[in-house]
């Protein structure tokens, strides 16, 4: 304790002896630190401060707009050379200034002003050149290119002739090529170009031009516009009779897109948009959700509704299946058309659709799906309003034999009126074949064996024809039968396989042994009750 006390006293005495020396020493150290060069700030800190300064120095867009208007007004009424040398140079220099500053709005305004100046001077060649020039400038902003292209698209309806319009469309498509943010504009421009080529008679070129755009991968395009674009591709392929490519394209649209739930939702949304437009007093655009979850662009004006697209879709499918001669698929297409709400609301439309369903379900080969559709249509309440067609379906629903002569006399006049369905003799022959097939199926249900002569007599046809029709049905596996030609006997029913025969024999033997065991048991029981000695029970 004494040592520590003395140490504290020595320390105090040294402090008192120093006087102002301690203060002077600290001041010198502080001055040395102040004289030292300042430390360099980190790079991130510099960038952050620069960004803050940039945000603080906002551009006066109203003043910029007045400046652009002043530049354009100075060139009003000047020649093409004056416009090129003064107005465009000033606007391009202004665009460069804001482009290097990476200002989206100002750069877009300058780009739009350039194409506006070319359009107002009616210099279409300069317009094409400057659209390409703006899109290819160094460090060009996507938003500026998009605004310039959208502004130029507005001028397509004001071109002096069709050649100028085509040239401008081709320029815009070359600019938008490979740019995902302009895929919607590119698709619409390509469709306009295809329409012009088709009107000129260049069908192959129009179809090829339209097929280059794969809209099914576009996320920003509305669903209805996308379906309409694909169906336009299908129409051009069908028109030039490229059925294989048409079928590949039409399969990009699934029937689920036209389900009742979606049709109802589409109608409800359209009605809601109409009500909103009336309430606001101006047109309200219907918003759709794109594939990536963002809001899709509204469909272009004139895009059909989902119900109209459904009718167009099945119309194209009918054209394809008529080429492939697939009556069952044609029947299914007409059935989907018949189930459309707008068709069912119009008696003339559903009557025509139901008549087509009846004819093509009759012309379709027999099978499980054909039978299902036949019974469904026969039970439809609207069929009772068409007595002739109700009798037609009754022939194939009931298991009764009918004569072709009677059928022809009854439905011949109606077949003459259905020129679209029975335009060729082939469908008439097919109808006769379906009547004969129906009769053979009825005979097969009642007979296990029948002579070929008797079968021909029932069908009211010759023996060779009866043999031919029966052989065709056997080859298609519609009927199971064998023909013994030397004896002239037809045996209906499928030939049993060896394992099935063996299983059946084994089952019969098992039943026989079981019956024998029960009989022995009862005999032994009776013998014991009456004390009768059965020979087999003797010891």
């Amino acid at each position: 304790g004494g040592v520590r006390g003395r140490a504290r006293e020595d320390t105090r005495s040294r402090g008192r002896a120093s006087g102002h020396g301690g203060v002077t020493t600290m001041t010198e150290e502080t001055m040395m630190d102040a004289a030292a060069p300042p430390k360099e700030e980190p790079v991130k800190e510099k960038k952050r401060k620069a960004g803050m300064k940039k945000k603080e120095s906002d551009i006066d867009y109203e003043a910029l707009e007045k400046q652009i208007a002043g530049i354009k007004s100075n060139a009003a009424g000047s020649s093409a050379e004056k416009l090129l040398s003064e107005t465009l140079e000033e606007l391009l220099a202004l665009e460069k200034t804001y482009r290097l500053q990476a200002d989206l709005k100002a750069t877009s305004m300058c780009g739009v002003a350039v194409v506006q100046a070319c359009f107002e001077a009616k210099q279409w060649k300069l317009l094409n050149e400057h659209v390409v020039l703006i899109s290819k400038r160094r460090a060009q902003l996507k938003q500026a290119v998009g605004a310039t292209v959208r502004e130029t698209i507005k001028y397509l309806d004001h071109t002096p002739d069709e050649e100028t319009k085509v040239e401008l469309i081709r320029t815009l498509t070359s600019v938008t090529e490979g740019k995902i943010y302009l895929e919607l504009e590119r698709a619409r421009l390509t469709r306009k170009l295809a329409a012009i080529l088709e009107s000129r008679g260049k069908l192959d070129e129009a179809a090829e031009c339209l097929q280059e755009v794969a809209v099914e991968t576009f996320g920003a395009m509305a669903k209805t516009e996308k379906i309409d674009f694909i169906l336009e591709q299908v129409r051009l392929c069908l028109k030039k009779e490229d059925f294989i490519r048409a079928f590949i394209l039409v399969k990009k649209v699934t029937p689920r897109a036209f389900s009742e739930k979606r049709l109802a939702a589409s109608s409800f949304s359209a009605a809601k948009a109409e009500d909103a437009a009336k309430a606001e007093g101006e047109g309200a655009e219907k918003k759709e959700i794109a594939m990536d979850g963002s809001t899709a662009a509204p469909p272009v004006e004139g895009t059909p509704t989902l119900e109209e697209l459904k009718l167009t879709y099945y119309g194209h499918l009918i054209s394809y299946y008529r080429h492939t001669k697939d009556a069952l698929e044609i029947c299914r297409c007409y059935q989907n058309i018949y189930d459309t709400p707008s068709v069912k609301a119009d008696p003339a439309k559903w009557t025509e659709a139901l008549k087509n369903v009846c004819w093509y379900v009759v012309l379709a080969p027999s099978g499980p799906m054909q039978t299902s559709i036949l019974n469904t249509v026969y039970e439809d309440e609207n069929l009772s309003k068409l007595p002739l067609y109700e009798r037609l379906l009754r022939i194939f629903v009931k298991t009764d034999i009918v004569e072709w002569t009677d059928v022809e006399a009854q439905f011949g006049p109606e077949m003459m009126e259905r020129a679209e369905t029975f335009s060729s003799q082939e469908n008439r022959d097919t109808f006769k074949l379906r009547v004969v097939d129906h009769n053979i199926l009825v005979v097969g249900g009642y007979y296990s064996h029948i002579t070929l002569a008797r079968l021909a007599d029932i069908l009211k046809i010759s023996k060779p024809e009866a043999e031919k029709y029966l052989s065709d049905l056997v080859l298609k596996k519609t009927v199971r039968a064998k023909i013994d030609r030397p004896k002239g006997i037809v045996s209906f029913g499928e030939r049993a396989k060896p394992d099935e025969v063996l299983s059946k024999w084994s089952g019969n033997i098992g039943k026989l042994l079981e019956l024998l065991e029960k009989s022995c048991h009862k005999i032994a029981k009776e013998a014991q009750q009456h004390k009768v000695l059965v020979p087999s029970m003797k010891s």
Side-chain angles (χ1 to χ4, degrees), residues 387-452:
L388 184 65
Y389 287 86
E390 189 176 15
R391 291 198 299 272
L392 174 65
L393 295 191
R394 190 183 295 118
I395 292 173
F396 295 91
V397 170
K398 304 297 181 182
T399 54
D400 297 330
I401 293 175
V402 292
E403 295 184 10
W404 165 245
T405 53
D406 296 341
V407 174
E408 188 178 22
Q410 189 174 4
F411 299 102
E414 183 66 17
M415 291 167 62
M416 294 293 291
E417 292 180 6
R418 308 294 302 177
E420 187 179 3
T421 307
F422 296 97
S423 56
S424 62
Q425 186 63 30
E426 186 178 359
N427 278 351
R428 294 174 179 271
D429 296 339
T430 303
F431 184 43
K432 179 181 178 181
L433 176 62
R434 296 296 173 251
V435 174
V436 175
D437 291 351
H438 168 74
N439 290 336
I440 292 175
L441 289 171
V442 172
V443 171
Y446 286 109
Y447 289 86
S448 58
H449 302 279
I450 189 173
T451 61
L452 197 58

Side-chain angles (χ1 to χ4, degrees), residues 499-522:
D499 54 346
E500 293 177 355
V501 174
L502 187 60
S503 298
K504 187 177 180 181
W505 177 83
S506 176
N508 291 337
I509 293 297
K511 289 179 181 178
L512 178 63
L513 292 176
E514 186 179 356
L515 182 62
L516 184 61
E517 185 180 359
K518 287 182 179 179
S519 301
C520 292
H521 177 71
K522 290 183 178 181

